[in-house]
Amino acid sequence: MPSAIRLPDAELPDESKADETYPATFDLLDIQSPVQSQGRRGVCSIFATVGLMESLYIAEGTIPNPDFSEQFLQWSVKTEVGAFTMTDGSSAQRNLEAISRFGIVEETAWPYEPSGWGTTQDP
């Protein structure tokens, strides 16, 4: 397998537009939803996808304080999409597929449960 070639930063091509004015700094904190704990569950991709979705709504301005349900998205990926049914894990692709096909609810409709759940907790 060939090794990767790394160019010094000064030799990287400048692909910016000549007439574009770029900000001196760029801060995403203004459009980031609050950080939340996933507890003891292996659902980091669920939290990352929900955080991304919330930040997109904040940036767009339609929903000023979005708070979507990680619990619902986890259930939707496993039950409605039928992916990763035997593990807590998931993937960004399947998470976005679930949101695209089935939507998502607000956290108040189905709050996150930080400990594992199974069919006995499945509404």
Side-chain angles (χ1 to χ4, degrees), residues 34-111:
V35 174
Q36 297 178 335
S37 172
Q38 69 186 41
R40 296 176 182 244
R41 294 174 58 193
V43 292
C44 54
S45 70
I46 294 289
F47 273 74
T49 303
V50 169
L52 169 65
M53 195 171 134
E54 290 171 349
S55 70
L56 292 172
Y57 273 99
I58 292 168
E60 192 244 350
T62 303
I63 303 174
N65 297 303
D67 187 13
F68 299 117
S69 172
E70 293 86 4
Q71 189 72 33
F72 174 83
L73 181 56
Q74 179 74 355
W75 172 84
S76 181
V77 168
K78 307 235 177 268
T79 305
E80 296 179 306
V81 173
F84 299 96
T85 58
M86 304 306 273
T87 179
D88 273 354
S90 187
S91 71
Q93 178 183 358
R94 294 302 188 181
N95 299 344
L96 294 172
E97 177 186 351
I99 292 169
S100 176
R101 290 177 57 195
F102 305 106
I104 193 164
V105 301
E106 292 184 347
E107 181 76 13
T108 55
W110 194 349

Side-chain angles (χ1 to χ4, degrees), residues 8-57:
D9 290 344
E11 294 180 32
L12 293 173
D14 183 359
E15 297 178 1
S16 58
K17 297 169 71 176
D19 60 345
E20 186 69 40
T21 303
Y22 295 103
T25 62
F26 188 76
D27 190 354
L28 295 174
L29 289 178
D30 291 341
I31 62 166
Q32 180 177 329
S33 61
V35 174
Q36 297 178 335
S37 172
Q38 69 186 41
R40 296 176 182 244
R41 294 174 58 193
V43 292
C44 54
S45 70
I46 294 289
F47 273 74
T49 303
V50 169
L52 169 65
M53 195 171 134
E54 290 171 349
S55 70
L56 292 172
Y57 273 99

